[in-house]
Every structure is written in C-alpha cells, then in structure tokens.
Amino acid sequence: MRKLVYYVATTLDGFIAAEDGTFDGFIFEGDHMAGINAEYPDTLPTQFREALGLQDAPNKHFDTVLMGRSTYQVPGGLASPYAHLRQIVVSTQVTGTPPDVEVVREDVVGRVRALKEEDGQDIWLCGGGKLAAALLPEIDTMLLKIHPVVFGRGIPLFDGKAGITKFARTNAQLFESGVSFMTYERNS
C-alpha cells in the first residue's frame, strides 16, 4: 500500500510559511540543498529540475503530489508546477486548471484512501497546514526540513483541529547550514 507522506519545510516554531504565504525566511543555500535534492528530486518543481539538469532524473519516492489551494496558488506559481508528477489540488475555489491538474472539491479523505490503494510510489502531501490537519489520520510519514529560524506567526504545520497522533523518529540528518532533516513514522 502506498503511503501519504507529509514532506515540508518548517521553522523552529512550527510554521510552514509566513502569514502572507511566503517562505522567504527559509535557507535556500547550504549543504542541505544538495543532499536533499539528490535524494528527493521528485519534490523539485519541474522548472527547477530542468534548471539543475535533473529533468530526466527518475522519481525516487513519489509519483503523486497533493496540495491545498494556497500551496498550488503560491504567488508567482505555475499552472502545472510538478508536471513530472500526478498533480492533485484540494479546493472548492480553484478553477481553470490545465488537464494534468486534478481538482478535488469534496471527500478528500476518501480520495486519499483510494489513492493509497492504487499501485505506485508514495503520495507527497506538499501543503498546506489546513489540508495536513484534515488528513492527519491518513499521514503515514512526516519528512520535516527544520530550518533554524523563528517566524513568530504564520501558517502552522497543522492548521486546524487535529487529534493527538504519535510518530516515532526513524532518521535524523543534521547539516552544517543548521537545517535538520527529520523522518517520522506513524506509531502502530
């Protein structure tokens, strides 16, 4: 069975973006970039993959990306940001998407359960915080890029009512840049 994997950058105080949806405070230079990009080239937007010469790199972990409206419509965003993946946007407001972007308007939990039953690689939950809170019961793994920065306010990792759910840390990578890459698996 495929897993739903919440792979996201976060601050020390648990925010995935500033209040306005930007993430300028995250560190985009340093030794963590090469390591993470080499292991997870599938999570780079298609245009960045091309710029880095990774357009032909195989998807190592994911064949599907799931994102909320705000993540999909990030300022300056593309209509098809992850063309190398099956793209699914959860929103009741998004319209006019290209044919390679599926929009789910209702029963997102049911849709995710159906996706998990399909053959293929894992499903990347790219954001945002509201969608992550709604899907917490379905999240199997969390891959957190923890940046050594505090936003004070912003969009939380889980934005909404979410019950207590325990995860076990299964891997930790520490980089000279100060970024920590942590892997957590849902406790059985």
Side-chain angles (χ1 to χ4, degrees):
M1 180 189 272
R2 303 166 75 186
K3 292 182 179 182
L4 179 62
V5 179
Y6 190 21
Y7 173 93
V8 67
T10 184
T11 64
L12 291 173
D13 53 346
F15 295 107
I16 60 173
E19 287 180 298
D20 64 358
T22 61
F23 35 85
D24 297 340
F26 289 119
I27 300 168
F28 292 104
E29 295 179 356
D31 59 328
H32 67 284
M33 293 299 292
I36 292 172
N37 290 347
E39 183 58 29
Y40 292 93
D42 15 0
T43 64
L44 293 169
T46 302
Q47 70 176 15
F48 293 142
R49 285 171 57 110
E50 292 169 358
L52 294 171
L54 299 172
Q55 66 271 15
D56 296 324
N59 292 333
K60 292 185 176 185
H61 301 278
F62 307 110
D63 62 11
T64 303
V65 60
L66 182 67
M67 57 195 131
R69 179 190 55 80
S70 294
T71 301
Y72 175 67
Q73 293 182 328
V74 49
L78 303 170
S80 182
Y82 300 101
H84 57 284
L85 299 172
R86 179 179 181 186
Q87 302 172 93
I88 302 173
V89 176
V90 177
S91 174
T92 58
Q93 300 173 6
V94 169
T95 59
T97 58
D100 65 338
V101 176
E102 175 187 342
V103 178
V104 174
R105 300 189 188 292
E106 56 189 38
D107 191 18
V108 65
V109 171
R111 183 67 179 113
V112 167
R113 288 179 179 161
L115 287 167
K116 289 170 84 172
E117 292 294 326
E118 294 176 359
D119 289 333
Q121 293 177 295
D122 288 337
I123 304 151
W124 170 30
L125 174 55
C126 176
K130 286 185 173 101
L131 182 56
L135 289 175
L136 180 56
E138 297 301 318
I139 295 173
D140 302 293
T141 304
M142 288 195 295
L143 301 176
L144 303 179
K145 298 174 283 187
I146 304 170
H147 289 248
V149 62
V150 172
F151 282 4
R153 295 186 303 214
I155 299 170
L157 194 60
F158 293 94
D159 187 4
K161 187 175 181 178
I164 295 172
T165 306
K166 295 187 178 184
F167 287 80
R169 189 189 73 220
T170 57
N171 195 27
Q173 291 178 276
L174 308 176
F175 295 94
E176 290 297 319
S177 64
V179 173
S180 302
F181 188 71
M182 311 298 276
T183 304
Y184 298 92
E185 299 287 341
R186 177 184 292 281
N187 283 348
S188 301

